Amino acid sequence: MITNLRGRDLICDLDFSKEEVETVLDVAWDLKRKRALGEPHPLLRDKTLAMLFFFSSTRTRSSFEAGMAQLGGHAAFIDSRTTQVAHGDTAKEIGEILGRYFDGIAIRQVDWGYGNKYLNWVAEASRVPVLNMQCDLYHPHQILADLMTMMEKKGRDLRRKKLVVSWAYASSYLKPMSVPHSLILQMPRFGLDITLAYPPEFKLRDDILEEAKAQARKYGAGFEIVHDMDEAFKDADIVYAKSWGPLMTTTDPEEGKKLQDKYKDWITDERRMALAKPDAIYMHPLPADRDVEVTSAVMDGPHSVVFDEAENRLHAQKAVMALTMW
Ligand code: CP
């Protein structure tokens, strides 16, 4: 077990080594058990977390805030639009100043081509850990919760399990690419064979794809790309199908919407789930466009683990905070 995570940032999934991720999971299960037993665990008494949001959130905000309270500390919600951030506070000022008030700075900034840079600029100026609550490139805390959920449902040894990371149609907005990026970076380290599926216009970033393939080679995991949702689902152990914007093709919302609308049949429904293994699980980080991205029959059906997955955000994030912010 690697134990010296104090003071560390978590911005990209690979910022923590595989062994460090295993430490996070170990602590997460311990904290989950303690919460189930009603056992207090004030590991961060008197500590504070700044949560700076440039974009809306339900799960991330709630789970970080609840998690800090359960650890005996306090989380402050800071909305970019209602603070002087909107009037010019720079990343350096945020890192310097919030770093002096708080024991950790968590940020959600998903603007394409900017969010990840912003988090790194804050981290350079901050004396306390910077935690990524989702940027344009990565969503590492979501993926820690996903990994925890996969292990709970499929066993701690995930080697040779087939994980399908598939694009799905959504009509609400062009969603960030951070979840598929983070999945393909983190999961090969745990031996999952990745099948990545998307329509041609929805490719992921080349540098991240190359890094993911390198991780797969290093850990002896499979990695294939297909452009057919049915083909991808065949014999899957884990189906993780969600929408993302065609940001490598266009950043224009209207053009992007037109491209999305070409692929309305990329929906997770019962017919497609039947192509996967009989005991396959369905995962989604939420929010999902119900009956557009995934049918309610699947979302609320026997394969779905989306609520356990959402719960694990709390436990995984508490583990990261407890390990980095003391
Ligand atoms: N999965 C996730 O990050 O949810 P929120 O956008 O509600 O935080």
Side-chain angles (χ1 to χ4, degrees):
M1 181 188 261
I2 308 284
T3 52
N4 58 342
L5 285 162
R6 187 179 187 199
R8 292 273 296 278
D9 301 325
L10 180 55
I11 297 176
C12 171
D13 301 83
L14 303 185
D15 286 350
F16 287 3
S17 68
K18 179 176 183 246
E19 290 75 13
E20 288 166 343
V21 169
E22 285 166 349
T23 298
V24 170
L25 296 183
D26 194 61
V27 173
W29 276 308
D30 183 48
L31 295 177
K32 186 171 185 175
R33 180 185 151 279
K34 284 187 163 70
R35 181 161 164 74
L37 291 170
E39 197 178 303
H41 42 279
L43 299 168
L44 294 180
R45 199 195 301 274
D46 301 330
K47 301 283 185 180
T48 53
L49 175 74
M51 300 188 303
L52 173 56
F53 281 92
F54 290 81
F55 192 76
S56 54
S57 165
T58 305
R59 281 144 291 272
T60 305
R61 177 183 171 180
S62 310
S63 51
F64 268 101
E65 193 163 335
M68 270 307 283
Q70 290 164 21
L71 290 167
H74 173 75
F77 172 68
I78 303 167
D79 178 1
S80 67
R81 289 163 301 183
T82 56
T83 53
Q84 300 290 33
V85 174
H87 296 148
D89 277 330
T90 64
K92 181 173 181 182
E93 287 154 10
I94 291 297
E96 277 283 359
I97 296 166
L98 297 190
R100 295 175 191 217
Y101 299 159
F102 294 93
D103 301 288
I105 305 173
I107 304 173
R108 170 169 284 192
Q109 167 44 285
V110 298
D111 292 351
W112 181 243
Y114 181 73
N116 183 261
K117 288 183 187 146
Y118 181 85
L119 264 79
N120 280 291
W121 291 329
V122 173
E124 277 166 29
S126 169
R127 61 182 70 181
V128 299
V130 169
L131 305 179
N132 185 352
M133 296 196 294
Q134 190 177 23
C135 67
D136 54 331
L137 302 183
Y138 312 115
H139 199 354
H141 293 89
Q142 174 69 53
I143 269 51
L144 289 173
D146 295 339
L147 181 58
M148 195 175 168
T149 309
M150 288 176 196
M151 287 186 177
E152 287 176 348
K153 305 298 179 189
K154 291 286 164 195
R156 301 284 169 102
D157 183 356
L158 293 171
R159 286 176 297 174
R160 301 267 75 84
K161 298 284 183 206
K162 178 177 174 178
L163 167 62
V164 175
V165 178
S166 177
W167 185 84
Y169 174 65
S171 53
S172 54
Y173 68 105
L174 301 187
K175 302 186 184 192
M177 293 157 91
S178 46
V179 168
H181 279 164
S182 285
L183 282 168
I184 65 170
L185 286 174
Q186 185 72 271
M187 299 313 177
R189 303 204 289 184
F190 292 86
L192 285 145
D193 293 331
I194 310 288
T195 296
L196 176 62
Y198 55 83
E201 298 92 336
F202 290 80
K203 70 188 292 236
L204 301 179
R205 256 177 62 143
D206 287 328
D207 56 337
I208 293 174
L209 266 178
E210 288 314 308
E211 181 58 52
K213 286 179 193 167
Q215 292 295 321
R217 279 194 299 275
K218 181 174 172 185
Y219 290 97
F223 196 101
E224 62 166 352
I225 297 177
V226 300
H227 301 294
D228 184 290
M229 206 177 186
D230 281 0
E231 186 187 340
F233 273 46
K234 273 179 201 145
D235 298 323
D237 294 288
I238 303 165
V239 169
Y240 200 123
K242 77 169 302 295
S243 190
W244 63 82
L247 295 162
M248 295 298 291
T249 305
T250 179
T251 52
D252 179 73
E254 269 181 39
E255 243 182 86
K257 177 91 176 75
K258 276 189 205 145
L259 288 178
Q260 288 202 153
D261 286 347
K262 279 170 67 180
Y263 300 105
K264 288 186 177 173
D265 58 333
W266 282 60
I267 181 171
T268 306
D269 56 15
E270 286 171 298
R271 182 193 67 77
R272 278 208 168 98
M273 281 307 297
L275 298 172
K277 288 197 179 137
D279 63 348
I281 56 171
Y282 167 79
M283 300 183 73
H284 193 294
L286 305 178
D289 288 20
R290 259 184 190 259
D291 298 312
V292 176
E293 208 173 339
V294 51
T295 61
S296 291
V298 170
M299 181 87 109
D300 302 323
H303 299 285
S304 176
V305 298
V306 296
F307 298 126
D308 291 339
E309 180 183 2
E311 178 189 333
N312 280 336
R313 295 292 304 276
L314 175 72
H315 310 300
Q317 287 157 201
K318 281 168 70 179
V320 172
M321 292 191 288
L323 286 160
T324 60
M325 286 173 55
W326 59 281

